[in-house]
Amino acid sequence: MSWNWNSHGLPFLPGYSFRDVTKSAFHRPQTLGYKNGYALPRRPTGGIGQDPLLSEQLIQQEISELSLQTQDMTYGSYEQGLPIEFIPAHVALDKKVLRFYAYFVEKILCSPEEDCRVRSVVIYYYLEDDSICIIEPTVQDSGMPQGKRIKRQRLPKNEHGDHHMWKDLNLGIDLEVYGVKYHITDCDAFTKEFMESEGIVLNDPEPTPVDAYSKRRTNPQPSFTTPSEFNTTLQFLTMDCKVLRFYALWDDADSLYGDTRPVTIHYFLSDDTVEVREMHKPNSGRDPFPVLMRRQKLPKKIKPESETFPSCVLEVSKQEVDEYYSPKDFQLGKTITLLRRCFQLYDFDGFTKEYYQKNHPDMEMKPIEFPKKTDTSQVTKKEVPPYNGFGSLEDSLQNCLSLIPQPPKKNILKMLENSNKVLRYTARLDSQNPKDEGRPFVLSYFLSDDTISIFERPTRNSGIISGKFLEKTRVPKPGATVENPEFYSPADFAIGATVDVFSHRFVLTDADHYVLTYLESNSSQIPCQTLESLQQKLGVETSSNQPVDQNVDDVAEPSS
């Protein structure tokens, strides 16, 4: 065992070292020196525990090698191109999918007609993340759950944790996934181009085997224990969802409260059944039964020996029927009897027209136009009774429109714009009674709701009680009807004009100055005669430096 000794002759162990109190420099010595422009390690000074000296020959050899290096080795060649931009796989291979066509064979147990069934699938390989999805195309009325067989995922290849890659796929091979072998037969054009660009040679495409059950189901073979005229199974498979539609009139005038009603007749070609539906109209007063005759085979001719069959109690079977209705029995313009009900055919739809042109071209099928019958069930027009004088005209009319009267609607926007805007006129009563002469009245027209109120000013020693003569109400013009009411407006109030207020005649004698200002601002809606009468009445007084009659403004009406 070797020991490192310090300057005091003691081993270099904890507790045997002493600090040199005379030391004044504590910097770390440099280990590199520069020679000819290159950094070289300094030669050690030797001593116990130091590394052996480097040979002079080795140092000179390294210096010569460094000096012989070219500038290209240090800074690189100028001819080297720029590095290619790195594109990650999820960007370069996004939405790029390989599509292979394959099939698998399914064993059928406990079936005497078939041993196996061939089912076609489509294999999608997503290059973005090496995931695979297997989908089986849906076949109508197959009776089997189809669609997505294996959702998108990375499929295991073996027990060591490897997964199937695109390099493992090719035509004519078997892809075993979760115990099911899928035999790949073909691929699309993009898949073929991609595989060839990666250096993989695809095998020749193979045809998909024909499934015996599907072929037999497409072209079913008739099998009957007794002879039959036609194949009902073939008729159902070829004529399913094909219906002839006729428009007819049901003559029900012989019954109580009977009438002619429009109906729709449906003839189902899949099983030769007939259905009759009634076409309901709104507010017809009849119960909206959806079906007039349920879907059934309607007998056309009963066997002679079965004419006494109690059909009202028991249903008619095939043994009693000699012939059923067929499409040849439905011809436009003729009356057909279905279960003792008479229907007159007058039109059909587009599919029915094409069917008869293709299968029965000898039949003449032309739609028939019937004159439209006047609808006597319409309610006669309501006659509004004459106005009784109570309340406003609109308010009284609500009693005739509904059982529970609703308040008439008001123009809220007009009320807000013309709030507190009143046109005031002075008037006198035009009456043959001499006592009514000299009675002063103030007629106020409210622009917010087009109502008129009349106030009688007090007169000393007249013997007539003054106050409110007419509350705020809309006053109709003479000759206005309830259906077309016409009310007074500011355009009718000219100086000297007569206003008929519920059999009382008032003659306008003067007006407030605000009336002239308002009418001049709306001169486009005011007749020239009305505007000139006000200008002549108020303008003369202003030009002669006489004050305008303020009696109209001095009268304050009591709040209603």
Side-chain angles (χ1 to χ4, degrees):
M1 182 177 181
S2 62
W3 294 90
N4 291 332
W5 299 84
N6 56 18
S7 59
H8 301 280
L10 298 176
F12 192 69
L13 294 174
Y16 290 92
S17 60
F18 300 93
R19 184 171 60 88
D20 188 3
V21 296
T22 62
K23 187 177 181 181
S24 60
F26 298 94
H27 66 280
R28 294 179 60 86
Q30 294 184 1
T31 59
L32 296 176
Y34 288 88
K35 187 175 182 180
N36 297 332
Y38 297 100
L40 300 175
R42 287 189 175 184
R43 297 180 183 179
T45 57
I48 303 175
Q50 297 292 338
D51 294 335
L53 293 176
L54 295 175
S55 62
E56 187 72 18
Q57 182 180 1
L58 182 60
I59 294 174
Q60 292 298 333
Q61 184 179 359
E62 292 178 353
I63 292 174
S64 62
E65 290 178 357
L66 291 174
S67 62
L68 293 176
Q69 289 180 353
T70 60
Q71 192 176 6
D72 295 343
M73 298 176 61
T74 305
Y75 300 100
S77 176
Y78 291 103
E79 298 178 357
Q80 183 178 1
L82 296 175
I84 301 175
E85 183 182 359
F86 173 73
I87 301 177
H90 67 276
V91 176
L93 302 176
D94 184 27
K95 298 181 181 179
K96 292 186 178 180
V97 184
L98 306 181
R99 180 169 57 178
F100 295 91
Y101 302 100
Y103 70 91
F104 70 98
V105 179
E106 181 184 14
K107 296 294 183 181
I108 304 300
L109 303 177
C110 303
S111 177
E113 298 180 356
E114 55 181 343
D115 298 332
C116 60
R117 186 171 299 175
V118 179
R119 302 174 63 175
S120 302
V121 296
V122 181
I123 302 175
Y124 295 95
Y125 185 95
Y126 297 86
L127 296 172
E128 177 184 359
D129 54 356
D130 299 325
S131 58
I132 298 177
C133 176
I134 300 178
I135 297 178
E136 182 179 3
T138 304
V139 180
Q140 186 180 5
D141 298 333
S142 64
M144 298 182 297
Q146 295 174 333
K148 185 179 294 185
R149 291 186 56 84
I150 298 178
K151 65 180 182 179
R152 181 177 174 179
Q153 57 182 297
R154 300 186 68 184
L155 300 180
K157 181 179 180 181
N158 49 35
E159 299 177 355
H160 304 291
D162 299 335
H163 296 85
H164 284 285
M165 304 294 292
W166 55 270
K167 300 179 181 180
D168 304 329
L169 303 179
N170 204 331
L171 304 184
I173 65 171
D174 292 335
L175 178 64
E176 185 173 358
V177 180
Y178 300 133
V180 180
K181 288 185 179 181
Y182 298 93
H183 188 75
I184 303 176
T185 59
D186 201 354
C187 63
D188 58 0
F190 172 76
T191 306
K192 183 178 181 181
E193 182 180 357
F194 176 81
M195 300 293 279
E196 291 178 353
S197 64
E198 296 296 333
I200 298 179
V201 180
L202 295 178
N203 300 329
D204 296 335
E206 298 180 1
T208 303
V210 179
D211 186 17
Y213 174 77
S214 301
K215 183 179 181 181
R216 185 171 62 252
R217 187 171 178 269
T218 306
N219 301 318
Q221 298 295 331
S223 58
F224 300 97
T225 56
T226 57
S228 178
E229 297 179 357
F230 60 94
N231 188 356
T232 56
T233 306
L234 178 61
Q235 180 185 3
F236 175 79
L237 294 176
T238 55
M239 294 295 180
D240 189 24
C241 300
K242 294 182 180 180
V243 184
L244 304 180
R245 177 182 295 177
F246 299 91
Y247 301 101
L249 294 176
W250 174 29
D251 189 5
D252 192 30
D254 296 337
S255 62
L256 183 63
Y257 308 111
D259 196 2
T260 303
R261 308 181 196 176
V263 296
T264 304
I265 302 176
H266 293 156
Y267 187 93
F268 298 87
L269 297 173
S270 59
D271 53 357
D272 296 326
T273 54
V274 181
E275 177 190 57
V276 181
R277 290 179 175 266
E278 187 174 357
M279 300 170 61
H280 299 281
K281 296 181 179 180
N283 301 326
S284 62
R286 300 183 183 274
D287 293 334
F289 290 104
V291 178
L292 182 63
M293 291 185 187
R294 64 177 178 85
R295 180 178 176 180
Q296 56 183 314
K297 296 190 69 173
L298 297 179
K300 179 182 179 182
K301 186 184 297 184
I302 305 293
K303 294 182 179 180
E305 59 272 12
S306 302
E307 292 181 355
T308 59
F309 183 81
S311 59
C312 61
V313 180
L314 300 177
E315 293 184 357
V316 179
S317 61
K318 296 181 180 180
Q319 287 72 19
E320 289 82 21
V321 178
D322 194 7
E323 184 182 358
Y324 287 96
Y325 277 102
S326 63
K328 295 182 178 180
D329 301 323
F330 294 85
Q331 188 171 0
L332 298 185
K334 294 186 177 180
T335 302
I336 185 173
T337 304
L338 304 178
L339 297 182
R340 298 183 181 180
R341 292 180 176 88
C342 298
F343 299 94
Q344 188 174 6
L345 308 178
Y346 65 89
D347 200 357
F348 49 35
D349 60 356
F351 172 77
T352 309
K353 181 178 180 180
E354 295 177 0
Y355 175 82
Y356 276 95
Q357 290 178 353
K358 181 179 179 180
N359 298 278
H360 304 284
D362 55 334
M363 295 181 61
E364 185 178 359
M365 304 291 286
K366 291 184 179 181
I368 301 175
E369 294 184 1
F370 287 94
K372 294 184 178 180
K373 186 178 180 181
T374 57
D375 192 0
T376 58
S377 62
Q378 293 183 357
V379 181
T380 58
K381 186 178 180 180
K382 294 182 180 179
E383 296 182 1
V384 181
Y387 178 58
N388 55 8
F390 293 95
S392 63
L393 187 62
E394 296 85 354
D395 194 14
S396 300
L397 183 61
Q398 300 298 322
N399 297 312
C400 305
L401 300 179
S402 61
L403 184 61
I404 301 177
Q406 301 293 332
K409 296 182 180 180
K410 298 181 180 180
N411 191 348
I412 304 299
L413 183 60
K414 183 178 181 181
M415 295 177 62
L416 294 176
E417 292 179 351
N418 300 316
S419 179
N420 299 327
K421 292 183 180 181
V422 184
L423 306 181
R424 292 186 176 90
Y425 302 86
T426 57
R428 62 179 177 84
L429 186 62
D430 185 10
S431 175
Q432 298 180 358
N433 190 355
K435 295 182 181 181
D436 294 334
E437 295 182 0
R439 295 175 62 180
F441 293 90
V442 176
L443 187 145
S444 301
Y445 186 89
F446 297 87
L447 296 173
S448 59
D449 53 358
D450 299 329
T451 56
I452 297 176
S453 68
I454 301 177
F455 184 81
E456 184 177 4
R457 293 186 298 180
T459 304
R460 293 177 60 86
N461 301 325
S462 63
I464 298 176
I465 300 176
S466 62
K468 186 180 296 185
F469 184 84
L470 177 67
E471 290 188 351
K472 291 178 59 177
T473 183
R474 299 184 69 182
V475 180
K477 293 182 179 181
T481 60
V482 181
E483 293 82 3
N484 298 316
E486 187 177 0
F487 300 94
Y488 280 106
S489 64
D492 304 320
F493 296 150
I495 302 301
T498 302
V499 181
D500 193 346
V501 181
F502 302 118
S503 302
H504 293 80
R505 297 169 60 86
F506 291 89
V507 180
L508 303 181
T509 59
D510 203 351
D512 190 2
H513 196 275
Y514 175 74
V515 177
L516 180 60
T517 305
Y518 176 79
L519 295 183
E520 288 179 348
S521 62
N522 299 274
S523 59
S524 60
Q525 303 176 2
I526 306 300
C528 298
Q529 298 177 357
T530 303
L531 194 60
E532 290 176 358
S533 64
L534 289 169
Q535 290 176 350
Q536 184 178 3
K537 179 67 177 178
L538 301 178
V540 172
E541 297 178 356
T542 305
S543 62
S544 61
N545 295 327
Q546 296 181 2
V548 181
D549 188 6
Q550 300 295 331
N551 294 333
V552 179
D553 299 333
D554 295 340
V555 178
E557 299 184 20
S559 60
S560 57

